[in-house]
């Protein structure tokens, strides 16, 4: 319905040109157009394909469509015919699509190929085909002949539904969006430290308790879930229905149960699974009590019971057992694990991990499945060569995986982690660097990199690639999940589908911005929109649009541009450039807001400040001195969770005259581990404090009306993390 509601963008009544994503392998332009008219007949060997396409055309074009079996409408010239012929010499997921002014024909050797032929056909139609807009007559499809097939059999998306829980409604939307992009694997990271999200009938506690975090729950609040009960899970019945929906759309749902680390959710419900030791060791995420004891034999019975149910719910041939980021020191301090080491002649923690992973592969195989895991599983010993490895840390690790002979999926951080920032100005992680869409697009999964090149036989072990989204940052703002995934998923879809010699960034970018933005808009995706480049020279603000058809709006009073703000139409002469704000708009969606890149948006003051706090630093590295140096790269991290009554006072040596003070808490730009519930107070004399503002999303802002001596963060309820991070305050002149 989006298309109908917001039609400021022209939705062409004639078909678009061939800006198809992912780009087909071979396209030959024809002459003329096929016109969709009322009474259109769709005949098909694949009833689902026919109904799927008919439904879309009926809804969008508002015409009557009749469907029938193969050959049912061949005599008509108002006909789309979909043929599935097993003996046709067309690759597995490939198709041939022929459009002439008389007819449309899709030929494939499988139902999957036919479905992808339908997807391409839809991209040749007006983008309203995705949006359910009605009333567009004279729909036309350009004459064309397309021969197409995928480069890789695995083209995926990984979504972490543990740290942030996404309801079924979101999952179904994603299934549709993946299908539109010919992405055929949906890897659900369904279990992690911060929530168990699938019903296990043998252990109902896992979802009765392990799916919830908050005050009084077995799991503490975290990652912005706040001082309230937060969580959710999928019942087996719901998940089976979802898997069926995906299967119809030729998407395989691959479950990941992350083991033996990342297991706090289950350990919080069943603490007996943990090691026997007198000391806790933290995972890299700072979690304790999240590692299965490898020496406890009963644990394998529990895992057998769980995997048995997982195997019965999910139709995928694979079960992903995680294997990443295990705090292995726990094992080295556990009597049971030490006994196991001695018994098995093991000398390192890696070998214990390998022992565990092999036990898991036996369990997985017992239930007719194959095992997959993150790249750590290749360490410490051999595994069956059918084991599928997901390389994530680096291309070096992907190289290690293919060198050892494992079929490998490339989900390498620097290309494929869409929880990474897309630019320095945006929210997100950056441990794998900034990952703009160009970087995602630049991946050749078979090539390795300049340092770690794959040989031909190693490259043959690469079965595909995927982007992955970890969701500790994803609760806000609303629909940030879509912002992070799209359009990087469109780039990744083409990496997976289109032969390397046909791919080129400028060509992709043209197709993306000329047609695919409009398609994604009509699909209902809140995708990321790039912002304009603005510079100020010769008393003039000059704006470079990020793409040809971009609509730039601006304000002149420092406020956020809205859909009602003035449209930029050319150079703006001004002597107050710092007052201007710009953003790109795509109907109601907009980019981040910017001002001229060579103009300071605010003038920040750096008054001498002393800090008083009830909190102590986690270590010298995170010292309280870090938040009085006005260096945004350093910050404070407490040695414990903040509680009601904790405070941090920033005391100025001299009273400061300023228009605004912004207090952002949490890790800079990542913005978790901040103040969940608290008040920002201020003082004119350094002694008496007045309530200023409440923290929302870790931030509070003051607008003092006379010089102030101090500001104080007063925590009113525990923060939703094991630590509190604080930054320098921003004092605006
Ligand atoms: C991972 O990012 N820990 C697989
Ligand atoms: Zn143990």
């Amino acid at each position: 319905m989006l298309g109908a509601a917001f039609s400021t963008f022209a939705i062409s009544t004639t078909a678009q040109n061939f800006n198809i994503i992912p780009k087909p392998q071979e396209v030959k332009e024809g002459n003329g157009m096929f016109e969709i008219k009322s009474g259109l007949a769709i005949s098909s060997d694949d009833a689902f394909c026919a109904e799927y396409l008919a439904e879309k055309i009926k809804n969008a074009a508002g015409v009557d469509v009749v469907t029938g079996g193969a050959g049912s409408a061949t005599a008509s010239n108002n006909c789309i015919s979909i043929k599935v012929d097993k003996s046709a010499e067309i690759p597995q997921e490939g198709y041939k699509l022929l459009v002439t002014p008389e007819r449309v024909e899709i030929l494939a050797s499988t139902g999957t190929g036919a479905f992808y032929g339908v997807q391409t056909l839809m991209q040749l139609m007006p983008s309203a085909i995705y949006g359910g807009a009605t009333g567009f007559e004279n729909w036309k499809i350009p004459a064309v002949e397309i021969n197409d097939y995928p480069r890789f059999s695995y083209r995926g998306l990984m979504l972490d539904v543990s740290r942030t829980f996404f309801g079924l409604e979101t999952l179904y939307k994603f299934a549709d969006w993946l299908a539109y992009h010919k992405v055929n694997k949906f890897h659900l990271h369904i279990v992690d430290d911060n929530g168990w999200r699938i019903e296990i009938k043998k252990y109902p506690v896992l979802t009765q308790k392990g799916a919830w975090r908050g005050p009084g729950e077995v799991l503490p609040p975290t990652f912005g879930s706040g001082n309230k009960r937060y969580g959710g899970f999928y019942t087996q019945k719901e998940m089976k229905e979802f898997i069926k929906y995906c299967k119809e759309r030729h998407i395989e749902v691959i479950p990941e149960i992350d083991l033996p680390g990342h297991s706090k959710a289950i350990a919080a419900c069943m603490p007996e699974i943990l090691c026997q030791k007198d000391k806790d060791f933290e995972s890299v995420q700072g979690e304790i009590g999240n590692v299965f004891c490898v020496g406890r034999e009963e644990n394998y019975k529990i895992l057998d019971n769980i995997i048995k149910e997982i195997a019965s719910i999910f139709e995928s041939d694979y079960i992903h057992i995680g294997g990443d980021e295990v705090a292995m020191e726990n094992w080295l301090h556990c009597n049971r694990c030490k006994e196991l080491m001695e018994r098995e002649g093991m000398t390192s923690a890696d070998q214990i991990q390998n022992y565990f992973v092999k036990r898991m592969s036996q369990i997985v195989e017992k239930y007719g499945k194959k095992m997959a895991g993150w790249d750590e599983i290749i360490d410490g010993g051999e595994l069956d060569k059918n084991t599928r490895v997901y390389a994530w840390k680096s291309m070096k690790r992907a190289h290690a995986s293919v060198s050892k002979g494992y079929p490998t999926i490339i989900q390498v951080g620097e290309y494929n982690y869409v929880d990474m920032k897309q630019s320095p100005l945006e929210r997100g992680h950056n441990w794998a660097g900034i990952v703009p869409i160009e970087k995602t697009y630049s991946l050749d999964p078979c090539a390795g990199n300049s340092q770690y090149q794959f040989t031909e036989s190693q490259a043959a072990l690469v079965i595909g690639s995927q982007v992955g989204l970890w969701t500790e940052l994803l609760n806000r703002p609303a629909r940030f999940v879509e912002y992070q995934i799209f359009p990087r998923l469109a780039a990744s879809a083409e990496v997976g589908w289109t032969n390397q010699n046909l791919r080129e960034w400028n060509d992709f970018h043209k197709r993306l911005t000329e047609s695919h933005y409009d398609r994604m808009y009509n699909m209902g995706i809140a995708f990321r929109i790039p912002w304009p480049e603005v510079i100020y020279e010769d008393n003039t603000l000059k704006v470079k649009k990020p793409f040809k058809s971009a609509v730039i709006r601006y304000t002149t009073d420092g406020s956020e541009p809205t859909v009602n703000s003035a449209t930029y139409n050319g150079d703006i002469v001004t002597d107050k450039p710092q007052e201007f704000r710009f953003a790109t708009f795509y109907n109601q969606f907009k980019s981040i807001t910017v001002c001229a890149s060579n103009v300071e948006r605010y003038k920040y003051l750096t008054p001498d400040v002393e800090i008083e706090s009830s909190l102590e630093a986690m270590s010298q590295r995170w010292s309280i001195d870090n938040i009085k140096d006005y260096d945004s790269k350093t910050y404070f991290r407490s040695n414990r969770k903040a509680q009601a009554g904790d405070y941090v006072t920033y005391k100025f040596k001299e009273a400061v005259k300023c228009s605004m003070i912004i207090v952002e808490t949490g890790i800079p730009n990542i913005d978790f581990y901040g103040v969940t519930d608290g008040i920002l107070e201020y003082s004119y004399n350094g002694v008496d404090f007045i309530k200023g503002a409440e923290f929302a999303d870790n931030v509070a802002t003051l607008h003092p009306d006379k010089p102030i001596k101090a500001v104080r963060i007063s925590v009113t309820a525990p923060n939703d993390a094991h630590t509190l991070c604080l930054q320098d305050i921003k004092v605006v002149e």
Side-chain angles (χ1 to χ4, degrees):
M1 293 316 292
L2 287 171
F6 298 93
S7 49
T8 54
F9 264 73
I11 293 167
S12 167
T13 52
T14 57
Q16 298 160 11
N17 59 14
F18 308 139
N19 284 341
I20 299 162
I21 289 179
K23 187 177 187 172
Q25 308 291 7
E26 195 184 308
V27 179
K28 288 185 207 146
E29 208 169 328
N31 288 317
M33 301 284 240
F34 175 87
E35 203 171 316
I36 292 177
K37 295 189 287 283
S38 210
L40 174 74
I42 301 178
S43 74
S44 179
D45 297 309
D46 186 297
F48 177 80
C49 267
E51 289 303 326
Y52 177 94
L53 180 60
E55 182 80 12
K56 295 263 191 275
I57 294 175
K58 270 191 248 180
N59 287 342
V63 297
D64 294 331
V65 183
V66 288
T67 55
S72 61
T74 43
S76 156
N77 69 356
N78 184 22
C79 163
I80 296 173
S81 136
I82 303 170
K83 292 181 190 156
V84 180
D85 176 359
K86 276 196 201 112
S87 65
E89 283 185 20
I90 296 176
Q92 265 287 312
E93 298 180 280
Y95 63 90
K96 287 181 196 291
L97 167 65
L98 179 70
V99 180
T100 69
E102 289 75 40
R103 56 190 291 104
V104 175
E105 207 173 283
I106 292 168
L107 176 63
S109 62
T110 65
T112 311
F115 184 71
Y116 291 145
V118 166
Q119 292 304 335
T120 297
L121 181 63
M122 282 163 51
Q123 292 206 4
L124 292 169
M125 295 178 186
S127 57
I129 191 73
Y130 297 104
T134 57
F136 296 99
E137 290 165 4
N138 300 321
W139 276 41
K140 289 176 183 167
I141 307 171
V144 69
E145 188 184 331
I146 294 177
N147 289 315
D148 200 14
Y149 55 88
R151 179 183 180 197
F152 293 102
S153 61
Y154 189 115
R155 308 173 300 279
L157 168 71
M158 186 219 80
L159 183 65
D160 165 10
V161 297
S162 171
R163 292 186 176 91
T164 298
F165 175 66
F166 298 98
L168 284 162
E169 197 187 304
T170 303
L171 291 196
Y172 277 92
K173 281 201 282 190
F174 267 95
D176 287 340
W177 296 338
L178 296 185
Y180 297 152
H181 290 87
K182 303 188 177 86
V183 169
N184 64 350
K185 311 286 174 187
F186 196 178
H187 167 181
L188 287 182
H189 182 82
I190 209 163
V191 164
D192 206 305
D193 293 319
N194 314 104
W196 184 283
R197 308 263 176 245
I198 183 77
E199 176 190 28
I200 300 294
K201 293 189 197 288
K202 178 92 180 172
Y203 304 112
V205 67
L206 292 175
T207 44
Q208 283 164 356
K209 293 190 173 177
W212 304 94
R213 55 194 201 231
E217 302 294 331
V218 294
L219 291 173
T222 190
F223 300 134
S225 61
N227 286 298
K228 61 183 191 315
R229 190 169 191 253
Y230 171 90
F233 65 92
Y234 313 111
T235 66
Q236 295 196 359
K237 182 166 176 285
E238 286 168 341
M239 186 47 74
K240 283 180 183 165
E241 281 165 10
F242 176 64
I243 289 164
K244 177 168 176 282
Y245 185 87
C246 287
K247 191 177 177 181
E248 287 170 343
R249 284 153 187 78
H250 303 274
I251 297 164
E252 176 186 335
V253 182
I254 301 167
E256 178 186 351
I257 306 296
D258 202 348
L259 305 164
H262 286 272
S263 295
K264 185 163 161 170
I266 181 169
C269 303
M270 303 160 79
E272 63 277 13
I273 67 163
L274 297 172
C275 283
Q276 282 179 323
K277 56 191 169 26
D278 48 19
K279 196 164 174 231
D280 283 319
F281 294 89
E282 280 184 6
S283 72
V284 290
Q285 277 87 12
E287 301 287 0
I288 53 169
N290 77 343
V291 181
F292 268 84
C293 178
V294 176
R296 182 175 187 262
E297 194 53 35
E298 296 91 324
N299 283 355
Y300 300 99
K301 187 64 205 160
I302 295 170
L303 289 165
D304 187 302
N305 288 331
I306 290 171
I307 295 297
K308 181 179 175 185
E309 293 193 34
I310 295 293
S312 77
I313 304 164
F314 292 87
E315 295 184 21
S316 172
D317 287 341
Y318 283 85
I319 294 179
H320 193 305
I321 58 97
D324 58 322
E325 299 179 319
V326 183
M328 298 188 196
E329 295 93 329
N330 286 290
W331 298 331
L332 301 176
H333 289 76
C334 164
N335 291 333
R336 283 188 305 239
C337 287
K338 284 194 281 195
E339 269 173 38
L340 173 74
M341 282 180 87
E342 204 166 301
R343 207 166 58 237
E344 296 285 326
M346 299 189 285
T347 55
S348 72
D350 279 353
Q351 289 173 328
I352 309 179
Q353 162 117 334
N354 178 255
Y355 173 90
F356 177 84
V357 170
K358 278 190 188 138
R359 293 285 303 259
M360 286 313 301
S361 81
Q362 285 164 7
I363 295 171
V364 164
E365 280 164 25
K366 179 173 160 193
Y367 295 107
K369 306 287 188 179
K370 290 182 238 177
M371 186 178 67
W374 297 110
D375 62 51
E376 286 95 328
I377 66 169
I378 67 174
D379 300 330
E382 288 288 303
L383 297 172
D384 186 290
K385 291 297 184 226
N386 275 326
T387 305
R388 180 190 278 173
V389 176
Y390 286 67
W392 70 277
K393 281 189 178 163
S394 60
M395 213 38 102
K396 180 180 177 183
R397 296 292 294 170
H399 184 258
S401 175
V402 291
S403 301
K404 291 186 182 193
Y406 298 113
T408 301
I409 306 294
I410 307 292
Q411 191 195 320
V412 168
E414 66 185 284
Y415 301 95
N416 300 107
Y417 266 40
V418 293
D419 52 333
M420 296 300 128
K421 284 173 192 297
Q422 312 192 52
S423 74
L425 298 179
E426 288 162 285
R427 195 165 177 232
H429 284 297
N430 61 5
W431 65 260
I434 308 276
V435 182
I437 183 172
E438 291 91 326
K439 185 81 197 223
T440 304
Y441 193 76
S442 74
L443 174 71
D444 176 355
C446 286
N449 62 16
S450 56
Q451 225 182 335
Y452 296 97
Q453 285 168 12
F454 300 168
T455 64
E456 209 170 299
S457 62
Q458 288 167 348
L461 285 164
V462 174
I463 51 180
S465 68
Q466 66 181 9
V467 286
L469 185 66
W470 304 99
T471 57
E472 57 269 33
L473 301 173
L474 269 291
N475 60 319
R476 63 177 187 270
R479 304 180 72 180
F480 194 55
V481 59
E482 292 161 56
Y483 186 97
Q484 291 297 85
I485 293 179
F486 293 96
R488 287 186 287 192
L489 182 104
S492 177
E494 186 154 307
V495 167
W497 183 277
T498 309
N499 286 345
Q500 187 66 16
N501 62 337
L502 296 176
R503 295 203 300 114
E504 197 272 318
W505 165 254
N506 291 319
D507 165 59
F508 173 78
H509 187 253
K510 172 182 169 292
R511 284 178 281 124
L512 177 70
T513 56
E514 284 186 1
S515 299
H516 207 66
Y517 276 0
D518 206 31
R519 289 188 200 117
M520 289 190 291
Y521 182 76
N522 280 280
M523 289 171 193
I525 300 172
F527 60 98
R528 174 191 186 263
I529 293 156
W531 56 88
E533 264 176 51
V534 185
I535 54 157
Y536 181 63
E537 41 184 42
D538 306 329
N539 270 15
T540 308
L541 283 163
K542 298 177 179 174
V543 175
K544 193 171 153 209
K545 291 181 175 191
F547 54 97
K548 237 194 222 161
S549 63
V551 174
I552 313 296
R553 296 180 191 279
Y554 68 97
T555 59
T556 57
D557 60 358
S559 64
E560 282 285 311
T562 70
V563 283
N564 300 318
S565 302
T567 308
Y568 171 84
N569 286 319
D571 291 355
I572 301 168
V573 178
T574 177
D575 56 4
K576 289 205 173 84
Q578 71 280 3
E579 302 291 326
F580 284 70
R581 299 289 180 273
F582 298 85
T584 311
F585 280 76
Y586 208 92
N587 295 333
Q588 83 275 31
F589 295 134
K590 71 185 242 220
S591 70
I592 63 166
T593 297
V594 293
C595 65
S597 58
N598 57 345
V599 169
E600 262 193 281
R601 183 172 182 158
Y602 297 122
K603 182 150 176 39
Y604 293 109
L605 305 174
T606 57
D608 279 348
V609 65
E610 286 302 325
I611 311 285
E612 285 173 12
S613 178
S614 56
L615 293 159
E616 283 176 27
M618 190 178 270
S619 67
Q620 186 54 34
R621 175 176 172 208
W622 308 108
S623 159
I624 203 90
D625 291 341
N626 290 349
I627 62 172
K628 52 187 202 187
D629 60 4
Y630 298 102
D631 173 359
S632 61
K633 287 192 220 54
T634 62
Y635 59 96
F636 167 82
R637 204 179 258 239
S638 69
N639 63 357
R640 62 170 170 84
K641 193 181 190 70
Q643 301 289 350
D646 276 322
Y647 65 91
V648 184
T649 309
Y650 297 72
K651 278 194 164 169
F652 302 116
K653 285 228 174 87
E654 307 288 340
V656 178
K657 184 171 179 300
C658 59
S659 64
M660 179 161 63
I661 293 184
I662 307 164
V663 180
E664 292 170 344
T665 65
I667 301 177
N669 275 324
I670 293 178
D671 123 31
F672 58 61
Y673 301 165
V675 172
T676 305
D677 289 298
I679 299 167
L680 183 62
E681 299 163 309
Y682 61 102
S683 172
Y684 294 121
N685 60 11
V687 181
D688 306 305
F689 281 82
I690 306 157
K691 178 176 166 176
E694 287 187 11
F695 279 85
D697 293 344
N698 298 347
V699 183
T701 304
L702 293 176
H703 299 274
D705 50 16
K706 51 184 183 177
I708 63 168
K709 278 286 286 190
V711 294
R712 180 164 74 192
I713 300 169
S714 282
V715 176
T716 53
N719 72 316
D720 58 8
H722 61 287
T723 179
L724 179 71
C725 293
L726 300 167
Q727 310 170 24
D728 304 283
I729 54 173
K730 292 184 172 142
V731 184
V732 179
E733 188 181 54

